[in-house]
Amino acid sequence: MATPARLEWSGDASLRRELVKVSAFFLRNWRMTHRNVFTVFEIVFWPIVNLLSVGLLITFLKAEPGTVVFVLVGTFALSTVQVCQLDVAYAALFDMWSKSIKHQLVAPIQPWHLVLGSWLMGVLRGTAVFTLQAAVSHWAFGVSVLAHGPAPAAALLVGLLVSAAGVGLLVSTLLMLFGLRAEVSAWSGVSLVLLVCGVYYPVSVLPAPLQVVAAAVPLTHFLEAFRAHLGYAPVFTAPLLRGYGLAVLYVAGGYALFAWAIHRARRTGMLLRLSD
Amino acid sequence: MNRVTTTELAVEVRGLDKTFRTGWPRRRSQPALRGVSFVVPRGAIFGVLGPNGAGKTTLLSILATLLLPDRGAARVLGLDVIRDAHRVRERINLSSGSASFLWSLTPSEILDIAARSYGLGAGVRRPRVAGLLEQFELAAHAAVPYNELSTGLKQRLALAKAFVNDPELLILDEPTVGLDPDISVRIREQIAALRRSRRMTILLSTHYMREAEQLCDEVVFLRQGQILAGGEPGTLKREVLLGDRVEFVMEGDAWRSLAELPGVLACTSTAGRVRVVVDDARKRLPELFRHLDERGILVSDVTVTEPTLESVFIELAR
């Protein structure tokens, strides 16, 4: 084998350099997704099966057109958050599955490089799911998310993607704390909010204590904000503002927890155990 | 160990302690390092030796900033591994025998992503990745998914990945563990070549004493988290009284007088075979022969054996 020639270290800290680091994790998720046939199931199969089964059920129940949109938007929301948060969780999961986490974290990266790069891939995949479901629901049930203009749909989509970052960060934190024993949270974490955030029904039907819990979930407010355009009065005031406020709070809190979990993993040796 | 100034040190470790605590609700404590101290001069190949579970990986992980110590201090390239961890990471890299990467990615992609995680722009990254693929003989396999590579290729990829940031300190944790002998030889040759061509400090952990003997300028022996001994391999052999062994086949009991000669550490005889341990065979052999010749003792056979690090380790482990 020949000997590697000494190569010059490229240089100063700059925004460009930070973006290159972020691109590492975007590309990693992109390439893994690109090669994984099961990704098709995540983006296409399950969301469409879910949408069609819920859509057919409410058609069978002879629901009013407004109710059909109400319920289907909930389905969009759940699938979009699920797929997007999964990409953020992949930031930890890929390294854990391949036992390469110590080789990843020996590089001079910050947790935000990892999270932002993975989330950007989640934004792509989440948007793809949202768009696909919107197209299928228009074709199959005559429902258009753009019926009240692009702004409500865009506000909903952006809200869902930011919420997904928060969920993904919490899942990644659990993974970093408990290892692959917490893997199930990546697949079921979103389901926990299903009951309380009014995906398939208005929050007003929930018992009062659960409404308090619902108020703490950003998804509740994004759905309420969108459904307000359909004529359903929101239970909580200023839903969009509340939704974004909470989502940003969860992202910030989730990030702090994730960074702490990585630090803790360095202290307890979890980082090494996850690489064995 | 070497008398060098702080700026000449690649690694400086003082009183390092680490205990792993696992289990819940009943916590179990497993001490991994106890008061470990040593220094590594820049440009050296330094071996951390010891059996499985000795604390080698724990020690190297602390120096690679992957693990936080409980007590003590460690400086790498003059930087504190806790306070300046980010800056340490920019200047070091790690390769381990048990390295693993994402199964679907190709060597080219793995190196590209690794280079990106050091913030290397396309202008530097592309030629560097291409160069490493070429230099580590991975170019022909550049587009093969990781899980389809042979063990030897995976190991070479792990080593290549450790060069993406052109590190000043390379940490190699059991780089040849579990490899076929021919592949191990090639990896060792590669490490030796790196040392010859670059002023790079290499920290190498291994439980193969032969590997350490072949590569290392200095070693420390670790057992149950403590350093048993350390120094240059040759010095170490002498320090633990494991000099060269000279075995004579001869008759009579005149061999006893050999024990009084300078440089003779021990002298025993069994069934006509006299075993003499000397500090340096090349230096003492003429004198031994002269002594026997003067007494008219006929030597029918003579064998000289140098001690190995393995024998040092066995001696220390007693």
Side-chain angles (χ1 to χ4, degrees):
Chain A
M1 266 181 276
T3 304
R6 185 169 277 280
L7 299 157
E8 291 304 315
W9 174 247
S10 73
D12 58 294
S14 64
L15 178 64
R16 196 173 161 189
R17 197 168 147 186
E18 299 306 306
L19 291 176
V20 169
K21 291 183 183 182
V22 170
S23 75
F25 302 101
F26 174 81
L27 266 177
R28 189 179 70 156
N29 279 25
W30 171 269
R31 285 166 177 162
M32 289 300 286
T33 300
H34 181 67
R35 306 247 164 84
N36 186 359
V37 70
F38 292 103
T39 304
V40 178
F41 282 80
E42 279 172 13
I43 302 177
V44 180
F45 185 77
W46 294 121
I48 298 303
V49 165
N50 196 20
L51 178 81
L52 290 176
S53 57
V54 171
L56 289 170
L57 174 70
I58 49 177
T59 304
F60 168 69
L61 294 173
K62 297 186 172 51
E64 290 175 12
T67 312
V68 175
V69 185
F70 183 101
V71 175
L72 288 185
V73 163
T75 311
F76 291 7
L78 207 60
S79 300
T80 304
V81 172
Q82 172 66 1
V83 167
C84 184
Q85 70 84 22
L86 206 49
D87 265 291
V88 180
Y90 280 155
L93 275 173
F94 280 148
D95 282 328
M96 288 183 188
W97 284 333
S98 64
K99 299 185 175 187
S100 61
I101 197 156
K102 75 175 181 183
H103 291 277
Q104 192 62 71
L105 293 180
V106 80
I109 52 161
Q110 301 287 359
W112 70 267
H113 294 120
L114 201 66
V115 172
L116 182 58
S118 303
W119 179 72
L120 287 173
M121 184 62 202
V123 166
L124 269 189
R125 294 210 310 153
T127 305
V129 167
F130 189 88
T131 309
L132 192 66
Q133 287 195 317
V136 171
S137 61
H138 184 61
W139 167 75
F141 306 107
V143 166
S144 173
V145 287
L146 299 174
H148 300 279
L156 174 66
L157 176 61
V158 173
L160 296 176
L161 297 173
V162 178
S163 302
V167 177
L169 278 164
L170 291 174
V171 170
S172 300
T173 301
L174 290 175
L175 287 165
M176 206 52 84
L177 290 176
F178 303 108
L180 286 173
R181 284 175 292 167
E183 187 181 346
V184 68
S185 65
W187 319 107
S188 59
V190 174
S191 308
L192 292 175
V193 297
L194 179 71
L195 187 70
V196 293
C197 68
V199 169
Y200 297 125
Y201 40 79
V203 177
S204 55
V205 306
L206 290 171
L210 281 183
Q211 284 192 23
V212 176
V213 181
V217 181
L219 190 55
T220 308
H221 303 291
F222 292 124
L223 286 171
E224 285 220 311
F226 186 83
R227 285 163 177 168
H229 295 281
L230 306 173
Y232 292 89
V235 172
F236 306 107
T237 54
L240 216 49
L241 199 64
R242 276 175 188 254
Y244 278 113
L246 280 173
V248 169
L249 199 68
Y250 282 123
V251 169
Y255 182 76
L257 280 174
F258 182 52
W260 167 79
I262 291 179
H263 180 79
R264 186 182 178 277
R266 287 187 201 275
R267 185 166 50 79
T268 59
M270 176 59 96
L271 213 57
L272 303 185
R273 287 200 293 279
L274 290 170
S275 305
D276 285 338
Chain B
M1 264 177 249
N2 282 6
R3 286 191 199 107
V4 283
T5 63
T6 308
T7 51
E8 290 171 321
L9 293 178
V11 177
E12 193 179 0
V13 173
R14 297 270 172 252
L16 221 50
D17 277 7
K18 182 71 193 175
T19 297
F20 291 111
R21 291 175 181 85
T22 52
W24 189 89
R26 293 185 65 183
R27 305 285 276 169
R28 288 183 300 276
S29 289
Q30 177 70 47
L33 292 178
R34 292 182 288 179
V36 169
S37 301
F38 64 90
V39 294
V40 180
R42 284 189 194 239
I45 299 187
F46 191 90
V48 179
L49 315 181
N52 291 328
K56 304 187 296 290
T57 299
T58 302
L59 175 60
L60 296 193
S61 299
I62 289 173
L63 297 176
T65 76
L66 292 167
L67 189 65
L68 296 170
D70 295 336
R71 268 179 298 280
R75 296 181 76 80
V76 167
L77 304 167
L79 301 166
D80 187 278
V81 292
I82 302 172
R83 223 178 25 251
D84 307 312
H86 194 78
R87 286 167 65 205
V88 169
R89 285 175 207 140
E90 285 179 339
R91 295 170 62 184
I92 65 160
N93 213 324
L94 166 80
S95 175
S96 67
S98 58
S100 182
F101 299 104
L102 294 189
W103 56 95
S104 295
L105 300 184
T106 65
S108 169
E109 290 167 343
I110 288 165
L111 293 178
D112 177 69
I113 288 170
R116 281 173 192 266
S117 63
Y118 284 87
L120 302 184
V124 176
R125 191 177 65 242
R126 285 182 189 146
R128 188 168 297 185
V129 167
L132 288 171
L133 286 170
E134 199 63 47
Q135 287 147 6
F136 284 87
E137 297 180 14
L138 290 161
H141 313 275
V144 178
Y146 181 75
N147 60 357
E148 291 175 25
L149 296 175
S150 67
T151 311
L153 287 171
K154 284 178 179 171
Q155 210 79 323
R156 290 221 295 270
L157 176 61
L159 206 53
K161 180 247 144 203
F163 284 92
V164 289
N165 63 324
D166 194 20
E168 290 168 60
L169 172 72
L170 180 62
I171 298 174
L172 300 174
D173 188 9
E174 308 258 14
T176 58
V177 71
L179 288 180
D180 288 338
D182 57 330
I183 301 167
S184 300
V185 167
R186 293 188 71 181
I187 297 280
R188 279 181 210 137
E189 283 170 359
Q190 180 74 6
I191 295 166
L194 289 168
R195 193 292 174 61
R196 279 196 300 272
S197 62
R198 305 148 73 102
R199 189 172 152 71
M200 174 187 279
T201 310
I202 299 175
L203 213 53
L204 168 87
S205 85
T206 181
H207 61 258
Y208 299 133
M209 300 302 143
R210 205 176 180 79
E211 185 167 282
E213 196 148 19
Q214 198 179 331
L215 293 171
C216 298
D217 303 309
E218 279 190 49
V219 295
V220 285
F221 281 97
L222 213 56
R223 194 177 66 143
Q224 294 176 346
Q226 287 181 305
I227 292 182
L228 296 178
E232 290 172 17
T235 313
L236 212 56
K237 289 174 200 170
R238 282 190 290 278
E239 276 180 5
V240 290
L241 298 179
L242 285 169
D244 299 338
R245 282 147 203 271
V246 185
E247 189 173 283
F248 298 100
V249 178
M250 60 184 181
E251 288 172 4
D253 60 357
W255 59 271
R256 290 178 196 280
S257 58
L258 290 172
E260 290 153 22
L261 291 176
V264 175
L265 305 170
C267 193
T268 54
S269 174
T270 321
R273 290 183 175 273
V274 178
R275 291 186 187 85
V276 184
V277 181
V278 292
D279 55 1
D280 186 340
R282 265 171 282 187
K283 204 163 119 188
R284 306 297 179 191
L285 211 49
E287 204 167 337
L288 290 173
F289 275 119
R290 196 164 44 246
H291 183 84
L292 294 170
D293 190 43
E294 281 169 8
R295 280 153 187 78
I297 298 166
L298 191 66
V299 175
S300 58
D301 194 16
V302 63
T303 317
V304 179
T305 319
E306 286 184 15
T308 59
L309 275 179
E310 197 139 16
S311 50
V312 174
F313 182 74
I314 291 165
E315 188 68 25
L316 287 169
R318 274 182 191 165

